Amino acid sequence: MKPVKNWLQLGVLVGMALLGTAMFALGLHMETYESPQVRYYNQGVALYEKVQSDETVLDEAILNFDKSLDEYRARENPGWLESKIYPSRSSELAALALSKKAVLLLMKQKTDDAVKAFKESISINSGSLRQELLALTMPREDMSAQDIARLADQAFVTIHNLEMLWGKSPEMQMSQGKNPGKGEGYDPQQAPGEPSPGAGKGGDPNAI
């Protein structure tokens, strides 16, 4: 290896070494990165599943879903650099967080708040199978045919749960209006089942 002849060469070598180190650190950070929205959602889901055997974690589950939703709303208009480095926010997880939060609110007998959460979930994910409508409610989020079908299934569960709730409370139906908006091609009379988890960061099902 030839010796460094002047300070300019030394500066270039040091600069290249620092740049390489910075790029390596950034790559490592992105490899292990989990967005706060996903992290709080996952924590909320873990507690949501635990509520059946331990209702003392109910409020904590709601809090984590709220934190996940706060992160979702905070990233509505990301800066240019942020949008290039970090993955987009997930409207799918936001809709699921609201749907699950609504179920927990029903357990707390907060029916009005539950209805509000169900309706907000549907406003984010209406269950539409049309790409152009999804582009309006979920901008900057590329959806495959499989993604769209999954979103429709999730919205159907939320819509059905809301309609079942209204069916048990006619006075609420009269005061708030009946039709929450149905997913295309779905019969709201079918059994809803449990709100199903969606994909987390990068579509990884293990992130949920």
Side-chain angles (χ1 to χ4, degrees), residues 111-112 115 119 165-166 169-179:
T111 308
D112 289 341
V115 168
K119 292 174 74 173
L165 176 59
W166 272 337
S169 180
E171 64 277 7
M172 180 180 295
Q173 176 179 313
M174 293 292 292
S175 65
Q176 297 200 28
K178 179 180 179 181
N179 186 10

Side-chain angles (χ1 to χ4, degrees), residues 37-81:
Q37 182 194 2
V38 172
R39 183 173 70 254
Y40 287 127
Y41 175 79
N42 290 343
Q43 292 172 185
V45 169
L47 293 166
Y48 176 88
E49 294 172 349
K50 189 178 179 181
V51 164
Q52 298 302 322
S53 59
D54 181 10
E55 290 193 10
T56 62
V57 302
L58 195 153
D59 287 334
E60 188 180 355
I62 292 175
L63 179 61
N64 275 278
F65 286 137
D66 281 338
K67 288 181 177 180
S68 179
L69 290 164
D70 287 343
E71 293 292 338
Y72 169 77
R73 293 168 184 135
R75 295 208 62 216
E76 181 177 3
N77 296 300
W80 181 85
L81 183 60

Side-chain angles (χ1 to χ4, degrees), residues 114-189:
V115 168
K116 182 179 178 181
F118 275 135
K119 292 174 74 173
E120 189 176 352
S121 176
I122 295 165
S123 73
I124 295 174
N125 175 19
S126 66
S128 172
L129 298 177
R130 296 173 59 185
Q131 185 72 48
E132 60 271 23
L133 292 181
L134 282 175
L136 293 175
T137 57
M138 302 182 182
R140 297 185 295 276
E141 297 183 47
D142 295 328
M143 296 288 175
S144 66
Q146 184 178 6
D147 293 332
I148 293 172
R150 185 179 66 251
L151 287 166
D153 287 339
Q154 292 167 1
F156 162 63
V157 171
T158 303
I159 291 168
H160 187 88
N161 285 344
L162 178 55
E163 290 184 336
M164 290 288 287
L165 176 59
W166 272 337
K168 294 179 180 179
S169 180
E171 64 277 7
M172 180 180 295
Q173 176 179 313
M174 293 292 292
S175 65
Q176 297 200 28
K178 179 180 179 181
N179 186 10
K182 299 179 177 62
E184 296 179 14
Y186 286 90
D187 178 3
Q189 298 305 314

Side-chain angles (χ1 to χ4, degrees), residues 34 38 42 198-201 203-208:
E34 181 181 52
V38 172
N42 290 343
K201 188 190 78 166
D204 180 6
N206 295 322
I208 302 306

